[in-house]
Amino acid sequence: MSPVTGPIATAIAFALAVGYGVSASNWQAAKAGYERRIADLTQASDRAQGDLRNELAACHAAGAARQQAVAADDVAAATPDGARRLLEQRPEGIDACARMESADRAVLSNLKKK
């Protein structure tokens, strides 16, 4: 073996060790950067998801309110004024309606007997 081979091999081994140490520290720094970025993106995703859920709930609530308003308008439009007044004057209006039905039945029963 040549007397120069030992020191050259040692120098190459030392250079490889230093190169490995530098690249390992670079990899660790990159890994930490990626982990930080993943944590930031996860938090942003959670915030966006919460905002979207709130927006969806608001849309559902607005849709339900709109449907109720349309249904109330339809009922109000379909109900004649006299019936609407009777419904608004509960229980007197309902009692009057019941008395009228009772009177109608009595008149009809008298007509059927003749």
Side-chain angles (χ1 to χ4, degrees):
M1 189 177 265
S2 168
V4 179
T5 307
I8 291 176
T10 303
I12 291 174
F14 183 72
L16 287 174
V18 168
Y20 175 75
V22 168
S23 66
S25 68
N26 287 341
W27 291 338
Q28 290 297 326
K31 179 183 172 187
Y34 291 140
E35 288 174 349
R36 247 183 283 113
R37 182 71 177 143
I38 289 170
D40 291 343
L41 290 173
T42 302
Q43 287 178 347
S45 172
D46 290 344
R47 279 193 304 268
Q49 184 179 15
D51 291 344
L52 289 174
R53 285 181 194 244
N54 290 338
E55 186 176 339
L56 179 63
C59 286
H60 283 300
R66 189 176 325 113
Q67 285 178 348
Q68 288 176 351
V70 167
D73 289 345
D74 290 346
V75 167
T79 306
D81 289 336
R84 190 175 309 122
R85 247 183 290 117
L86 287 175
L87 288 172
E88 291 170 355
Q89 296 173 356
R90 286 183 191 167
E92 297 85 12
I94 300 301
D95 289 343
C97 199
R99 284 192 299 262
M100 289 171 55
E101 287 178 6
S102 173
D104 287 346
R105 279 192 218 111
V107 169
L108 287 175
S109 67
N110 286 337
L111 290 175
K112 287 182 183 178
K113 288 181 184 176
K114 292 184 180 182

